[in-house]
Amino acid sequence: MAGLFESTGEGSAAIALDEIEASILRSLEVQMLELIGPGPGADSDDPLAALFAEGPTEAPSDPALRRLFPDAYGEPGTAADEETRAAASEFRRYTELDLRARKREDALAVVKAIDGLGGEGGKLELEAGDCPRWLGALNDLRLTLGSRLEVTEEDEEGLYALPDGDERKPLVMAYLWLGGMQESLIEAMTG
């Protein structure tokens, strides 16, 4: 079971991570937390103000963040007309802060679970309710790495053939490993 999930019944799962795997996954999730950040306008300590806070109206400039927080309207990679841009802006304004909060909670859940191993490897057991959180966190990591690596469907197979000297190799290895984890978690949740 090293590095992949197995079903423990009724939608729950378990994974055995060695010390290095746990450290890598934790480091990636901490970097995800830093990338996501609190989001524009979300830094109020007043719960009432936070409830009525409005998010940004423009898509992030960072390609990885744009992948995590895409426009809800229009086709990716094509110029949108005025009406589509206005709809996407309005949708983003009311949803991005909540989406950022959920992504932070997902990443933090993974970090806390790994911290529970005490800095060593070990077996993590996830309740059925924790599995979707982990699935979301793994997906966010893969989207981010895929964006940084500029992965497309056409060249994903080529990732397996990268020479060892390629500077992208460590990120590609993480991308592929996270994909395996993600797939095994889905199978564990449904099997």
Side-chain angles (χ1 to χ4, degrees), residues 34-88:
E34 291 170 359
L35 177 66
I36 293 170
D43 52 3
S44 175
D45 289 333
D46 179 3
L48 188 58
L51 182 64
F52 292 104
E54 293 182 1
T57 57
E58 297 294 321
S61 59
D62 182 324
L65 285 174
R66 241 188 345 268
R67 187 70 176 104
L68 292 173
F69 306 108
D71 280 332
Y73 299 95
E75 290 295 319
T78 61
D81 61 25
E82 184 76 24
E83 185 178 334
T84 302
R85 279 194 307 276

Short mmCIF file of all heavy atoms in Angstrom, two decimals, residues 34-88:
data_model
loop_
_atom_site.label_atom_id
_atom_site.label_comp_id
_atom_site.label_asym_id
_atom_site.label_seq_id
_atom_site.Cartn_x
_atom_site.Cartn_y
_atom_site.Cartn_z
N GLU A 34 0.37 28.61 0.89
CA GLU A 34 1.01 29.90 0.62
C GLU A 34 0.54 30.48 -0.71
O GLU A 34 0.31 31.68 -0.83
CB GLU A 34 2.53 29.74 0.62
CG GLU A 34 3.11 29.44 1.98
CD GLU A 34 4.58 29.04 1.94
OE1 GLU A 34 5.17 28.97 0.84
OE2 GLU A 34 5.14 28.81 3.03
N LEU A 35 0.38 29.62 -1.72
CA LEU A 35 -0.07 30.08 -3.03
C LEU A 35 -1.49 30.62 -2.96
O LEU A 35 -1.79 31.69 -3.49
CB LEU A 35 0.00 28.93 -4.04
CG LEU A 35 -0.52 29.23 -5.45
CD1 LEU A 35 0.37 30.27 -6.14
CD2 LEU A 35 -0.59 27.95 -6.27
N ILE A 36 -2.37 29.88 -2.31
CA ILE A 36 -3.78 30.28 -2.23
C ILE A 36 -3.92 31.57 -1.43
O ILE A 36 -4.63 32.48 -1.83
CB ILE A 36 -4.64 29.16 -1.62
CG1 ILE A 36 -4.69 27.97 -2.56
CG2 ILE A 36 -6.05 29.66 -1.32
CD1 ILE A 36 -5.31 26.74 -1.96
N GLY A 37 -3.22 31.64 -0.30
CA GLY A 37 -3.30 32.84 0.53
C GLY A 37 -4.72 33.11 0.99
O GLY A 37 -5.65 32.35 0.70
N PRO A 38 -4.90 34.19 1.71
CA PRO A 38 -6.24 34.50 2.20
C PRO A 38 -7.17 35.05 1.12
O PRO A 38 -8.38 35.00 1.25
CB PRO A 38 -5.99 35.56 3.28
CG PRO A 38 -4.73 36.21 2.86
CD PRO A 38 -3.90 35.13 2.19
N GLY A 39 -6.61 35.55 0.06
CA GLY A 39 -7.44 36.14 -0.99
C GLY A 39 -7.73 37.60 -0.72
O GLY A 39 -7.74 38.04 0.42
N PRO A 40 -7.92 38.36 -1.76
CA PRO A 40 -8.20 39.78 -1.63
C PRO A 40 -9.48 40.03 -0.83
O PRO A 40 -10.50 39.39 -1.06
CB PRO A 40 -8.38 40.27 -3.07
CG PRO A 40 -7.80 39.20 -3.92
CD PRO A 40 -7.88 37.92 -3.14
N GLY A 41 -9.41 40.90 0.14
CA GLY A 41 -10.58 41.30 0.92
C GLY A 41 -11.00 40.32 1.99
O GLY A 41 -12.03 40.50 2.63
N ALA A 42 -10.22 39.26 2.23
CA ALA A 42 -10.62 38.24 3.19
C ALA A 42 -9.86 38.34 4.50
O ALA A 42 -9.83 37.40 5.26
CB ALA A 42 -10.40 36.85 2.58
N ASP A 43 -9.28 39.47 4.79
CA ASP A 43 -8.43 39.58 5.97
C ASP A 43 -9.13 40.23 7.16
O ASP A 43 -8.47 40.64 8.11
CB ASP A 43 -7.14 40.33 5.63
CG ASP A 43 -7.39 41.67 4.95
OD1 ASP A 43 -8.57 42.04 4.78
OD2 ASP A 43 -6.41 42.34 4.57
N SER A 44 -10.43 40.28 7.18
CA SER A 44 -11.17 40.90 8.27
C SER A 44 -11.36 39.90 9.41
O SER A 44 -11.65 38.74 9.20
CB SER A 44 -12.54 41.37 7.78
OG SER A 44 -13.30 41.85 8.86
N ASP A 45 -11.21 40.39 10.65
CA ASP A 45 -11.46 39.55 11.83
C ASP A 45 -12.92 39.62 12.26
O ASP A 45 -13.34 38.88 13.14
CB ASP A 45 -10.57 40.00 13.00
CG ASP A 45 -9.11 39.65 12.76
OD1 ASP A 45 -8.85 38.68 12.03
OD2 ASP A 45 -8.24 40.35 13.31
N ASP A 46 -13.69 40.51 11.66
CA ASP A 46 -15.10 40.67 11.98
C ASP A 46 -15.92 39.63 11.22
O ASP A 46 -15.96 39.64 9.99
CB ASP A 46 -15.54 42.09 11.57
CG ASP A 46 -17.00 42.35 11.84
OD1 ASP A 46 -17.69 41.47 12.39
OD2 ASP A 46 -17.47 43.46 11.50
N PRO A 47 -16.56 38.68 11.94
CA PRO A 47 -17.31 37.62 11.25
C PRO A 47 -18.44 38.15 10.38
O PRO A 47 -18.72 37.59 9.32
CB PRO A 47 -17.86 36.76 12.38
CG PRO A 47 -17.28 37.25 13.64
CD PRO A 47 -16.59 38.54 13.38
N LEU A 48 -19.08 39.23 10.79
CA LEU A 48 -20.16 39.79 9.99
C LEU A 48 -19.60 40.40 8.71
O LEU A 48 -20.17 40.20 7.63
CB LEU A 48 -20.93 40.85 10.79
CG LEU A 48 -22.20 41.38 10.15
CD1 LEU A 48 -23.17 40.23 9.86
CD2 LEU A 48 -22.85 42.42 11.03
N ALA A 49 -18.48 41.09 8.83
CA ALA A 49 -17.85 41.68 7.64
C ALA A 49 -17.39 40.57 6.70
O ALA A 49 -17.51 40.69 5.48
CB ALA A 49 -16.68 42.56 8.03
N ALA A 50 -16.85 39.49 7.25
CA ALA A 50 -16.39 38.37 6.43
C ALA A 50 -17.56 37.73 5.69
O ALA A 50 -17.42 37.30 4.54
CB ALA A 50 -15.67 37.35 7.28
N LEU A 51 -18.72 37.68 6.33
CA LEU A 51 -19.90 37.10 5.71
C LEU A 51 -20.32 37.88 4.47
O LEU A 51 -20.76 37.31 3.48
CB LEU A 51 -21.06 37.05 6.73
CG LEU A 51 -22.36 36.44 6.26
CD1 LEU A 51 -22.16 34.96 5.92
CD2 LEU A 51 -23.43 36.59 7.32
N PHE A 52 -20.18 39.20 4.53
CA PHE A 52 -20.60 40.05 3.42
C PHE A 52 -19.44 40.51 2.54
O PHE A 52 -19.62 41.36 1.68
CB PHE A 52 -21.37 41.26 3.94
CG PHE A 52 -22.70 40.87 4.53
CD1 PHE A 52 -22.88 40.84 5.90
CD2 PHE A 52 -23.75 40.50 3.71
CE1 PHE A 52 -24.10 40.47 6.45
CE2 PHE A 52 -24.96 40.12 4.25
CZ PHE A 52 -25.14 40.10 5.63
N ALA A 53 -18.25 39.96 2.77
CA ALA A 53 -17.08 40.36 1.98
C ALA A 53 -17.28 39.95 0.52
O ALA A 53 -17.86 38.91 0.22
CB ALA A 53 -15.83 39.71 2.53
N GLU A 54 -16.82 40.80 -0.35
CA GLU A 54 -16.87 40.51 -1.77
C GLU A 54 -15.47 40.20 -2.25
O GLU A 54 -14.50 40.81 -1.82
CB GLU A 54 -17.44 41.70 -2.54
CG GLU A 54 -18.89 41.95 -2.24
CD GLU A 54 -19.46 43.11 -3.03
OE1 GLU A 54 -18.73 43.71 -3.83
OE2 GLU A 54 -20.65 43.41 -2.84
N GLY A 55 -15.37 39.24 -3.11
CA GLY A 55 -14.08 38.83 -3.64
C GLY A 55 -13.67 39.68 -4.82
O GLY A 55 -14.33 40.64 -5.19
N PRO A 56 -12.58 39.28 -5.43
CA PRO A 56 -12.08 40.00 -6.60
C PRO A 56 -13.01 39.82 -7.80
O PRO A 56 -13.80 38.88 -7.83
CB PRO A 56 -10.72 39.34 -6.85
CG PRO A 56 -10.87 37.97 -6.31
CD PRO A 56 -11.78 38.11 -5.11
N THR A 57 -12.89 40.71 -8.74
CA THR A 57 -13.71 40.60 -9.94
C THR A 57 -12.88 40.20 -11.16
O THR A 57 -13.43 39.90 -12.21
CB THR A 57 -14.43 41.93 -10.23
OG1 THR A 57 -13.46 42.97 -10.34
CG2 THR A 57 -15.42 42.27 -9.13
N GLU A 58 -11.56 40.21 -11.02
CA GLU A 58 -10.67 39.84 -12.12
C GLU A 58 -10.01 38.50 -11.82
O GLU A 58 -9.70 38.19 -10.67
CB GLU A 58 -9.58 40.90 -12.31
CG GLU A 58 -10.10 42.26 -12.71
CD GLU A 58 -10.72 42.26 -14.09
OE1 GLU A 58 -10.18 41.59 -15.00
OE2 GLU A 58 -11.76 42.92 -14.28
N ALA A 59 -9.75 37.74 -12.86
CA ALA A 59 -9.04 36.46 -12.71
C ALA A 59 -7.61 36.74 -12.24
O ALA A 59 -7.03 37.76 -12.58
CB ALA A 59 -9.02 35.72 -14.04
N PRO A 60 -7.03 35.83 -11.45
CA PRO A 60 -5.65 36.01 -11.01
C PRO A 60 -4.69 36.04 -12.20
O PRO A 60 -4.95 35.43 -13.24
CB PRO A 60 -5.38 34.77 -10.15
CG PRO A 60 -6.70 34.17 -9.85
CD PRO A 60 -7.62 34.59 -10.95
N SER A 61 -3.58 36.74 -12.02
CA SER A 61 -2.60 36.82 -13.11
C SER A 61 -1.71 35.57 -13.15
O SER A 61 -1.22 35.20 -14.20
CB SER A 61 -1.75 38.08 -12.97
OG SER A 61 -1.08 38.09 -11.72
N ASP A 62 -1.49 34.92 -12.01
CA ASP A 62 -0.68 33.72 -11.94
C ASP A 62 -1.41 32.57 -12.65
O ASP A 62 -2.56 32.27 -12.30
CB ASP A 62 -0.41 33.37 -10.48
CG ASP A 62 0.46 32.15 -10.28
OD1 ASP A 62 0.35 31.18 -11.07
OD2 ASP A 62 1.25 32.14 -9.33
N PRO A 63 -0.78 31.91 -13.64
CA PRO A 63 -1.46 30.82 -14.36
C PRO A 63 -1.94 29.68 -13.45
O PRO A 63 -3.00 29.11 -13.70
CB PRO A 63 -0.40 30.31 -15.34
CG PRO A 63 0.60 31.40 -15.44
CD PRO A 63 0.56 32.17 -14.15
N ALA A 64 -1.19 29.37 -12.40
CA ALA A 64 -1.61 28.30 -11.49
C ALA A 64 -2.86 28.72 -10.73
O ALA A 64 -3.80 27.92 -10.58
CB ALA A 64 -0.49 27.95 -10.52
N LEU A 65 -2.90 29.95 -10.26
CA LEU A 65 -4.10 30.43 -9.56
C LEU A 65 -5.28 30.55 -10.51
O LEU A 65 -6.42 30.29 -10.14
CB LEU A 65 -3.82 31.77 -8.88
CG LEU A 65 -2.98 31.71 -7.61
CD1 LEU A 65 -2.64 33.11 -7.12
CD2 LEU A 65 -3.69 30.92 -6.53
N ARG A 66 -4.99 30.93 -11.76
CA ARG A 66 -6.07 31.00 -12.75
C ARG A 66 -6.65 29.61 -13.00
O ARG A 66 -7.83 29.45 -13.25
CB ARG A 66 -5.53 31.58 -14.07
CG ARG A 66 -6.21 32.83 -14.48
CD ARG A 66 -5.89 33.37 -15.85
NE ARG A 66 -4.74 32.88 -16.56
CZ ARG A 66 -3.53 33.42 -16.52
NH1 ARG A 66 -3.29 34.47 -15.78
NH2 ARG A 66 -2.55 32.91 -17.24
N ARG A 67 -5.81 28.58 -12.89
CA ARG A 67 -6.28 27.20 -13.06
C ARG A 67 -7.10 26.75 -11.86
O ARG A 67 -8.08 26.03 -11.99
CB ARG A 67 -5.07 26.28 -13.26
CG ARG A 67 -5.43 24.87 -13.60
CD ARG A 67 -6.01 24.80 -15.02
NE ARG A 67 -6.28 23.42 -15.37
CZ ARG A 67 -7.49 22.87 -15.39
NH1 ARG A 67 -8.55 23.59 -15.12
NH2 ARG A 67 -7.65 21.62 -15.70
N LEU A 68 -6.70 27.21 -10.66
CA LEU A 68 -7.45 26.87 -9.44
C LEU A 68 -8.75 27.65 -9.32
O LEU A 68 -9.71 27.19 -8.73
CB LEU A 68 -6.58 27.12 -8.21
CG LEU A 68 -5.38 26.20 -8.02
CD1 LEU A 68 -4.53 26.68 -6.85
CD2 LEU A 68 -5.82 24.76 -7.82
N PHE A 69 -8.74 28.88 -9.85
CA PHE A 69 -9.91 29.76 -9.76
C PHE A 69 -10.28 30.27 -11.16
O PHE A 69 -10.15 31.44 -11.47
CB PHE A 69 -9.60 30.95 -8.83
CG PHE A 69 -9.11 30.53 -7.47
CD1 PHE A 69 -7.78 30.70 -7.12
CD2 PHE A 69 -9.97 29.95 -6.56
CE1 PHE A 69 -7.32 30.31 -5.87
CE2 PHE A 69 -9.52 29.56 -5.30
CZ PHE A 69 -8.19 29.72 -4.97
N PRO A 70 -10.74 29.36 -12.02
CA PRO A 70 -11.03 29.77 -13.41
C PRO A 70 -12.30 30.60 -13.49
O PRO A 70 -13.12 30.62 -12.58
CB PRO A 70 -11.23 28.42 -14.11
CG PRO A 70 -11.72 27.51 -13.04
CD PRO A 70 -11.04 27.96 -11.77
N ASP A 71 -12.44 31.29 -14.61
CA ASP A 71 -13.68 32.01 -14.87
C ASP A 71 -14.80 31.00 -15.05
O ASP A 71 -14.61 29.94 -15.64
CB ASP A 71 -13.56 32.87 -16.14
CG ASP A 71 -12.83 34.18 -15.89
OD1 ASP A 71 -12.87 34.68 -14.74
OD2 ASP A 71 -12.22 34.70 -16.84
N ALA A 72 -15.98 31.34 -14.55
CA ALA A 72 -17.12 30.45 -14.64
C ALA A 72 -17.81 30.52 -16.00
O ALA A 72 -18.57 29.63 -16.35
CB ALA A 72 -18.12 30.78 -13.55
N TYR A 73 -17.53 31.55 -16.74
CA TYR A 73 -18.17 31.74 -18.04
C TYR A 73 -17.12 31.95 -19.11
O TYR A 73 -16.05 32.49 -18.85
CB TYR A 73 -19.11 32.96 -18.01
CG TYR A 73 -20.22 32.80 -17.01
CD1 TYR A 73 -20.11 33.32 -15.73
CD2 TYR A 73 -21.38 32.12 -17.34
CE1 TYR A 73 -21.13 33.18 -14.80
CE2 TYR A 73 -22.41 31.96 -16.42
CZ TYR A 73 -22.27 32.50 -15.15
OH TYR A 73 -23.27 32.34 -14.23
N GLY A 74 -17.44 31.54 -20.32
CA GLY A 74 -16.51 31.70 -21.44
C GLY A 74 -15.67 30.45 -21.62
O GLY A 74 -15.62 29.57 -20.76
N GLU A 75 -15.00 30.39 -22.74
CA GLU A 75 -14.14 29.26 -23.07
C GLU A 75 -12.70 29.61 -22.70
O GLU A 75 -12.22 30.69 -23.04
CB GLU A 75 -14.22 28.96 -24.57
CG GLU A 75 -15.55 28.39 -25.00
CD GLU A 75 -15.81 27.03 -24.40
OE1 GLU A 75 -14.89 26.20 -24.32
OE2 GLU A 75 -16.97 26.80 -23.98
N PRO A 76 -12.02 28.70 -22.02
CA PRO A 76 -10.61 28.95 -21.68
C PRO A 76 -9.78 29.19 -22.94
O PRO A 76 -9.95 28.51 -23.95
CB PRO A 76 -10.16 27.66 -20.99
CG PRO A 76 -11.41 27.00 -20.53
CD PRO A 76 -12.47 27.41 -21.52
N GLY A 77 -8.93 30.18 -22.89
CA GLY A 77 -8.02 30.46 -24.00
C GLY A 77 -8.63 31.27 -25.13
O GLY A 77 -7.96 31.51 -26.12
N THR A 78 -9.90 31.66 -25.00
CA THR A 78 -10.52 32.48 -26.04
C THR A 78 -10.95 33.80 -25.45
O THR A 78 -11.29 33.89 -24.26
CB THR A 78 -11.75 31.79 -26.67
OG1 THR A 78 -12.73 31.58 -25.65
CG2 THR A 78 -11.38 30.47 -27.31
N ALA A 79 -10.94 34.82 -26.26
CA ALA A 79 -11.36 36.15 -25.81
C ALA A 79 -12.88 36.15 -25.59
O ALA A 79 -13.64 35.66 -26.43
CB ALA A 79 -10.98 37.20 -26.84
N ALA A 80 -13.28 36.67 -24.44
CA ALA A 80 -14.70 36.71 -24.10
C ALA A 80 -15.29 38.05 -24.51
O ALA A 80 -14.62 39.08 -24.47
CB ALA A 80 -14.88 36.49 -22.61
N ASP A 81 -16.56 38.03 -24.85
CA ASP A 81 -17.23 39.29 -25.17
C ASP A 81 -17.57 40.02 -23.86
O ASP A 81 -17.40 39.48 -22.77
CB ASP A 81 -18.48 39.05 -26.02
CG ASP A 81 -19.53 38.20 -25.33
OD1 ASP A 81 -19.58 38.15 -24.08
OD2 ASP A 81 -20.32 37.56 -26.05
N GLU A 82 -18.06 41.21 -23.99
CA GLU A 82 -18.34 42.08 -22.82
C GLU A 82 -19.32 41.42 -21.85
O GLU A 82 -19.12 41.44 -20.64
CB GLU A 82 -18.90 43.42 -23.32
CG GLU A 82 -19.15 44.43 -22.24
CD GLU A 82 -17.87 45.07 -21.74
OE1 GLU A 82 -16.88 45.10 -22.46
OE2 GLU A 82 -17.89 45.54 -20.58
N GLU A 83 -20.37 40.82 -22.37
CA GLU A 83 -21.39 40.20 -21.53
C GLU A 83 -20.81 39.01 -20.75
O GLU A 83 -21.09 38.84 -19.56
CB GLU A 83 -22.56 39.74 -22.40
CG GLU A 83 -23.72 39.19 -21.61
CD GLU A 83 -24.88 38.78 -22.51
OE1 GLU A 83 -25.02 39.35 -23.61
OE2 GLU A 83 -25.63 37.88 -22.09
N THR A 84 -20.01 38.20 -21.41
CA THR A 84 -19.39 37.03 -20.76
C THR A 84 -18.42 37.48 -19.68
O THR A 84 -18.39 36.91 -18.58
CB THR A 84 -18.68 36.15 -21.81
OG1 THR A 84 -19.64 35.76 -22.79
CG2 THR A 84 -18.05 34.93 -21.17
N ARG A 85 -17.59 38.50 -19.98
CA ARG A 85 -16.65 39.03 -18.98
C ARG A 85 -17.39 39.57 -17.76
O ARG A 85 -16.98 39.35 -16.63
CB ARG A 85 -15.77 40.12 -19.58
CG ARG A 85 -14.60 39.59 -20.38
CD ARG A 85 -13.56 40.64 -20.68
NE ARG A 85 -14.08 41.84 -21.31
CZ ARG A 85 -14.29 42.00 -22.61
NH1 ARG A 85 -14.01 41.02 -23.45
NH2 ARG A 85 -14.76 43.13 -23.10
N ALA A 86 -18.50 40.25 -17.98
CA ALA A 86 -19.28 40.80 -16.87
C ALA A 86 -19.88 39.68 -16.01
O ALA A 86 -19.85 39.75 -14.78
CB ALA A 86 -20.39 41.70 -17.41
N ALA A 87 -20.39 38.64 -16.65
CA ALA A 87 -20.97 37.51 -15.91
C ALA A 87 -19.88 36.79 -15.10
O ALA A 87 -20.09 36.44 -13.94
CB ALA A 87 -21.66 36.55 -16.86
N ALA A 88 -18.73 36.58 -15.71
CA ALA A 88 -17.62 35.90 -15.03
C ALA A 88 -17.13 36.73 -13.85
O ALA A 88 -16.85 36.21 -12.77
CB ALA A 88 -16.48 35.63 -16.00
#
